[in-house]
Amino acid sequence: MTTAPITTADLVLLDVDAGADKEAVIARLAGALAAAGRATDTDGLVGATMAREAQSATGLPGGIAIPHCRSPHVQTPTIGFARLSPAVDFGAPDGPADLVFLIAAPEGGGSEHMKLLSSLARALVRPEFVASLRSAATAEDVVALVDGVVTPAPATPAATPAPAAPAEAAPAEAAPAPAATKTIAAITACPTGIAHTYMAADALKLAAERAGVELVVETQGSSGSTPLGAAVIAGADAVIFATDVGVKDRGRFAGKPVIASGVKRAINEPDTMIAEAVAAADNPNAARVEGTGAAAADIEGAADVGWGTRTRQILLTGVSYMIPFVAAGGLLIALGFLFAGYDIANPPAGFEAPLGNLIALENTLTDLPPGGIMQYLGAVLYTLGGLAFGFLIPALAGYIAFAIADRPGLAPGFTAGAVAVFIDGGFIGGIVGGLIAGFAALWISRIGVPQWFRGLMPVVIIPLFASLIVGLLMFLLLGRPLAAIQEGLTNWLSGMTGTSVIILGVILGLMMCFDLGGPVNKAAYAFATVGLNVADPSSLRIMAAVMAAGMVPPLAMALATAVRPRLFSEPERENGRAAWLLGASFISEGAIPFAAADPLRVIPSMMAGGAVTGALIMAFDVTLRAPHGGIFVFFAIGNLLWFLVALVAGTVVAALAVVTAKQFSATRSLAQTPLSAA
């Protein structure tokens, strides 16, 4: 149970003109939450809600909208409601919404709180409940209706019309006779996990009842989920993935016919999705989970996930799996330098790095002078790091292919990455090879084959022929162009001097601070790490600019919360204290809670600081031989003093910018309060 009711009469606005667009409506409801003491910062709550709106529209068929978010500015789980006149467009397919619920959850809301909020979302798929909201005469009536669906107690029958829902069963959609024996398993999940996850689940359940189909649903949302048992999955004839995020443990459904879409399609077209799942269950050539269709469904069947978003997800998967090799290999190389000096990167004549030094030292180990054991240990560490670094491009390509075609894409993807290394195609070759390998594996997986042959597809046929396709293409057609592009890029960077190199530092700084671990940040980081070469000073300067700029956001927010704590909520001040260590360790994600709550003021401020740091790093010829570790790899930083100067300068600029932005906004809001109250 919560300590405060989830909604009250002062959070209900009936028949109001709240503005011309959804941001105005959200601002009006957020203001009501703040006035009731449920939120500490109206602008922060509006920003968090609009950030969620940017991911996908929250308008639903039937004139309903459910803008929602998690925010550190929310004190207790709260629902605000507005019945609008006139209605406002929230992106629903059938027109504007006149019933708007603002569902606000604290940043760390517990599972009980999430269950209350999700209960309301589920009720909104029931026509009777929606009709009751439209006919409610007073704010108290609305509160009673909401309490009736979020309170587990057997409350008022009027507010819990669940049994009546099947009465709406329609005509022709309930017909297909074969469907009576089918069992469908479904997964629903949305980015926030508060509303759409549970609405999609209930919409699919009602549609399954109408069609005479047995449906079991696993909701992967904020209020927790109980995974479907192995026996339940084994007994399912087909599966539905209605998700805007990755399905957890999707391998459990290996071999099952699959229908996949964004979560909103399950809310808008549940009957169609159930019918498609029933048809897939009887179709031997239907798309299937695990390499025989799962990825295809993800890429082509998602109603709410476009090609741009999907491409970004594919590339991010590759980069995310590559980063552990970067961190481990890079730090081992740095430790090798610490123990044996930078000459360890130059193998003796007749040997090749990274094994050259190790082999040469092993051959003369008994003759090493005093202290020579440290040199040998350094050679061991440098060799280990070099071997780990050798997996960067294969891992990048392999997991790009994995994101497209699932496990059958791994072997051809890694092969493509190895070919990219062999032909000197570099980072660009790894991306191109991974994409070709993934789509080749996906294309082969969609070829119809007899049932008895299907078991060989993911483990033999797909890896074999996809590897053959990507290998031949890269060796025969793409090798020279990719190598030329990589060489040209390297020569261009190496030839940069003066103003141009400072501009590069500014660009890298802006990218590192734009989305704090997102695709732009990771693109800059991958560009620096894959090109890192201890024999190339330009690559060492790029690495220094990227790491220093990436340290700025958490350090700046830590500084801002320390010098002007009144501008931040208590959860933000706690995050600020933790951000000191995160920033020093080069973990840009430490600033995400601040950027998510107040993106319009925080992100531009961080970018300003990152640009200053990147420019100064380049201007003062700072170098870095380790791709991770922050200030703790000081021994691998060339011109350490100027590195610290650049880092401090960017941190101060970003902190001043965010404090000024928040102070100006707070002052303006205070000046406008009397007018708003009036």
Side-chain angles (χ1 to χ4, degrees):
M1 297 296 292
T2 56
T3 56
I6 204 161
T7 192
T8 55
D10 54 349
L11 300 175
V12 175
L13 309 176
L14 293 182
D15 305 318
V16 296
D17 182 350
D21 57 29
K22 63 182 178 181
E23 186 169 3
V25 176
I26 290 169
R28 179 74 178 271
L29 284 168
L33 266 64
R38 301 298 189 101
T40 57
D41 183 347
T42 302
D43 290 342
L45 179 54
V46 172
T49 309
M50 291 304 296
R52 170 61 187 87
E53 288 287 318
Q55 293 178 323
S56 64
T58 54
L60 303 170
I64 304 168
I66 49 165
H68 56 280
C69 71
R70 292 171 179 265
S71 170
H73 302 297
V74 177
Q75 300 296 297
T76 184
T78 301
I79 295 170
F81 172 73
R83 193 167 66 196
L84 303 178
S85 179
V88 172
D89 182 20
F90 273 78
D94 61 344
D98 63 323
L99 302 179
V100 180
F101 281 95
L102 175 59
I103 304 178
E107 189 71 54
S111 62
E112 290 304 314
H113 296 158
M114 295 302 107
K115 286 176 182 175
L116 296 179
L117 298 177
S118 62
S119 295
L120 170 71
R122 307 181 95 134
L124 290 172
V125 302
R126 305 177 194 158
E128 293 81 359
F129 179 71
V130 175
S132 299
L133 291 172
R134 287 203 168 94
S135 62
T138 66
E140 288 74 13
D141 292 341
V142 173
V143 172
L145 286 166
V146 173
D147 282 345
V149 295
V150 301
T151 305
T156 78
T160 53
E168 239 213 62
E173 292 154 80
T181 59
K182 298 299 180 188
T183 299
I184 307 297
I187 301 289
T188 61
C190 71
T192 312
I194 295 175
H196 289 89
T197 298
Y198 305 99
M199 297 181 74
D202 280 12
L204 288 171
K205 285 178 182 176
L206 292 173
E209 289 178 13
R210 291 193 289 270
V213 173
E214 184 179 345
L215 180 76
V216 286
V217 184
E218 178 182 319
T219 52
Q220 296 181 349
S222 295
S223 62
S225 64
T226 302
L228 297 176
V232 173
I233 295 173
D237 298 294
V239 292
I240 292 174
F241 291 157
T243 67
D244 289 336
V245 292
V247 176
K248 297 175 185 174
D249 299 324
R250 66 184 300 147
R252 296 172 292 161
F253 301 92
K256 295 290 182 183
V258 62
I259 299 297
S261 77
V263 69
K264 285 187 68 178
R265 185 176 181 233
I267 300 173
N268 298 342
E269 305 173 25
D271 296 286
T272 302
M273 291 197 73
I274 292 292
E276 289 174 355
V278 170
D282 293 324
N283 180 3
N285 295 318
R288 292 175 184 268
V289 180
E290 288 300 329
T292 52
D298 279 350
I299 294 173
E300 297 170 9
D304 291 339
V305 180
W307 270 99
T309 300
R310 185 60 189 145
T311 301
R312 186 182 73 238
Q313 291 172 344
I314 290 168
L315 296 178
L316 275 180
T317 299
V319 173
S320 296
Y321 279 102
M322 179 192 77
I323 285 176
F325 292 97
V326 175
L331 291 175
L332 285 168
I333 288 173
L335 288 172
F337 291 148
L338 178 64
F339 284 108
Y342 294 121
D343 285 342
I344 199 70
N346 303 312
F351 295 95
E352 293 185 5
L355 293 174
N357 285 289
L358 182 59
I359 296 171
L361 285 172
E362 282 180 343
N363 291 342
T364 59
L365 186 57
T366 56
D367 301 323
L368 287 176
I373 190 65
M374 297 301 291
Q375 188 179 9
Y376 178 72
L377 180 58
V380 171
L381 294 173
Y382 177 80
T383 302
L384 285 173
L387 293 173
F389 237 54
F391 284 99
L392 295 194
I393 293 174
L396 173 68
Y399 283 101
I400 285 175
F402 170 78
I404 296 170
D406 220 305
R407 277 189 292 183
L410 277 174
F414 270 86
T415 302
V419 173
V421 173
F422 185 82
I423 64 175
D424 292 327
F427 176 52
I428 296 171
I431 292 176
V432 172
L435 291 171
I436 294 173
F439 283 107
L442 180 61
W443 173 69
I444 295 170
S445 73
R446 300 185 59 166
I447 297 174
V449 296
Q451 183 72 33
W452 59 268
F453 192 68
R454 189 169 294 137
L456 291 175
M457 291 291 285
V459 294
V460 178
I461 305 302
I462 297 173
L464 170 63
F465 286 98
S467 297
L468 186 62
I469 290 171
V470 69
L472 290 175
L473 283 175
M474 293 188 71
F475 272 121
L476 300 180
L477 295 178
L478 301 176
R480 290 183 181 230
L482 289 173
I485 292 171
Q486 183 70 19
E487 183 180 3
L489 180 61
T490 302
N491 293 338
W492 173 64
L493 292 173
S494 300
M496 276 190 162
T497 57
T499 305
S500 61
V501 80
I502 293 175
I503 292 174
L504 176 61
V506 170
I507 293 171
L508 291 172
L510 292 171
M511 292 176 70
M512 288 300 295
C513 299
F514 175 68
D515 53 0
L516 307 173
V520 176
N521 170 287
K522 279 188 167 60
Y525 183 65
F527 170 67
T529 54
V530 174
L532 186 60
N533 181 351
V534 293
D536 180 7
S538 65
S539 74
L540 303 183
R541 294 167 76 185
I542 289 170
M543 191 70 252
V546 163
M547 188 165 84
M551 296 167 68
V552 165
L555 290 175
M557 295 314 302
L559 179 60
T561 56
V563 298
R564 291 304 304 274
R566 292 184 181 179
L567 295 175
F568 300 89
S569 65
E570 180 55 35
E572 286 179 316
R573 291 194 289 271
E574 291 179 6
N575 286 331
R577 288 188 281 272
W580 287 113
L581 180 59
L582 295 174
S585 304
F586 180 39
I587 300 176
S588 304
E589 288 85 348
I592 285 178
F594 301 94
D598 192 2
L600 296 181
R601 286 177 289 188
V602 170
I603 291 177
S605 302
M606 300 302 95
M607 291 174 68
V612 169
T613 294
L616 291 176
I617 290 288
M618 290 297 194
F620 295 123
D621 198 22
V622 180
T623 59
L624 175 63
R625 288 175 167 83
H628 214 291
I631 199 62
F632 301 105
V633 290
F634 60 89
F635 54 84
I637 299 173
N639 291 334
L640 177 60
L641 176 61
W642 284 115
F643 179 90
L644 295 175
V645 169
L647 179 60
V648 170
T651 298
V652 171
V653 167
L656 285 175
V658 76
V659 165
T660 302
K662 284 182 173 286
Q663 179 65 44
F664 173 75
S665 177
T667 303
R668 185 179 58 183
S669 298
L670 189 61
Q672 292 177 347
T673 299
L675 294 175
S676 302

